[in-house]
Amino acid sequence: MRAVVIRRFGGPEVLEVIEAPLPEPGPGQVRVRVAAAGLNPADLAARAGLFGPAELAPGEFLGLGWDVAGTVDALGSGVSGPAEGTAVVGLVSGSGRRFKAHAEYVVVDADAVAAAPSSVGLVHAATLPVNAPTADQALGLLGARPGDRLLVTGAAGAVGGFAVQLAHHAGLRVVALARAGDEPLLRELGADETVASLDGVRADAALDAAVLGSPVLAAVRDGGAYVTARPGAVPAAERGIRVAAVQVRPDGARLAELVALADRGVLTTRVADTYPLAEAAKAHARLAEGGLRGRLVLVP
């Protein structure tokens, strides 16, 4: 198979596409023939060396790609499902693996996958497994209740957009922070109010998908809750506000529920562009430029 890897940390130029043996699923795992794999900011961080060791040993390399959509083509021992030939989406956990989702095949834990949505193709489906669970798990950490006023920063982005939709579905009153030109999109996603700055904003809770930090915390009422989308970027607690960071974890059962919400139209998948594996460096450079209103997807 072909796979995107790095042998050293740095900019997009360190990405390589190599030929590698087909991976074999171990106990409790399935092998997925990759149809599409999303590109996330975490991939840029991993490529730059923000995760794991300070440098890679000679001859060592690491794979990239956390979310995948494709077809199961082999089962490891102890796995009764999903059956071979099933179209699935899944979260490929771990930052130290030699091969991940940016490849023609990937091995993933069977309990980290769910049947792919029927309402969209696999390219769009590949935008779900990381971003929708991140938004969902962040809302769980906040513990906001129906009627609460929720501030979402970076609301037009991938995580922020899913957060707006999930919060709206749960009966929260959503204040969406994004660029002024994004107001029509945010209204469509379910935002009750859109703002281009934090001036005068007050909320019961905040999901800081844009990782703005203390200015967002200042907009939360005393005793409220704040969650950032970046572990290690949690501002110091004040005024009795609960603060935390979401670090997405695989959960195939909950992912299946989120897929069902996508099929019902509660969640909207958005793809900005697709790239072949050979143009992974171009995709990384484009994501680093920012301003996307949808996810970039690698298509083997």
Side-chain angles (χ1 to χ4, degrees):
M1 71 169 186
R2 294 178 305 143
V4 177
V5 302
I6 55 171
R7 301 181 192 273
R8 58 190 175 90
F9 300 120
E13 72 280 355
V14 304
L15 297 168
E16 299 179 42
V17 179
I18 65 170
E19 294 285 342
L22 204 61
E24 295 298 332
Q29 296 181 322
V30 297
R31 185 173 66 206
V32 176
R33 182 175 183 176
V34 179
L39 180 65
N40 292 284
D43 294 303
L44 275 59
R47 187 206 69 221
L50 300 184
F51 304 148
E55 61 182 28
L56 299 177
E60 190 54 70
F61 58 84
L62 297 177
L64 300 172
W66 269 257
D67 48 7
V68 63
T71 305
V72 174
D73 86 322
L75 307 180
S77 63
V79 177
S80 56
E84 291 184 30
T86 302
V88 295
V89 292
L91 173 57
V92 185
S93 61
S95 57
R97 296 174 52 165
R98 301 187 83 194
F99 301 111
K100 295 192 68 180
H102 294 169
E104 292 179 320
Y105 292 84
V106 67
V107 166
V108 61
D109 292 339
D111 60 6
V113 303
S118 60
S119 58
V120 297
L122 290 177
V123 170
H124 273 261
T127 67
L128 282 168
V130 168
N131 297 301
T134 298
D136 182 59
Q137 292 169 26
L139 292 174
L141 288 172
L142 287 170
R145 296 171 293 183
D148 281 353
R149 187 174 171 85
L150 173 70
L151 169 64
V152 179
T153 72
V159 171
F162 283 136
V164 169
Q165 292 186 301
L166 288 169
H168 174 75
H169 182 65
L172 305 181
R173 294 157 52 216
V174 181
V175 180
L177 175 67
R179 298 174 183 174
D182 288 319
E183 181 175 357
L185 168 65
L186 295 170
R187 292 291 188 182
E188 183 178 342
L189 294 178
D192 297 284
E193 182 180 346
T194 63
V195 294
S197 79
L198 292 170
D199 294 344
V201 173
R202 298 296 293 171
D204 299 299
L207 197 172
D208 190 9
V211 196
L212 302 179
S214 297
V216 178
L217 189 70
V220 178
R221 66 166 173 81
D222 295 359
Y226 167 98
V227 169
T228 177
R230 182 182 299 167
V234 182
E238 60 180 58
R239 297 183 286 112
I241 299 171
R242 292 184 293 106
V243 298
V246 60
Q247 189 161 8
V248 66
R249 63 188 185 280
D251 183 345
R254 179 55 180 162
L255 180 56
E257 295 174 352
L258 295 171
V259 166
L261 291 178
D263 279 336
R264 289 169 49 193
V266 174
L267 296 180
T268 304
T269 59
R270 293 178 288 153
V271 173
D273 206 350
T274 60
Y275 292 82
L277 291 183
E279 296 183 2
K282 290 183 179 180
H284 276 240
R286 177 64 189 91
L287 180 57
E289 291 174 3
L292 293 169
R293 292 300 174 257
R295 187 55 77 209
L296 300 179
V297 179
L298 296 185
V299 181

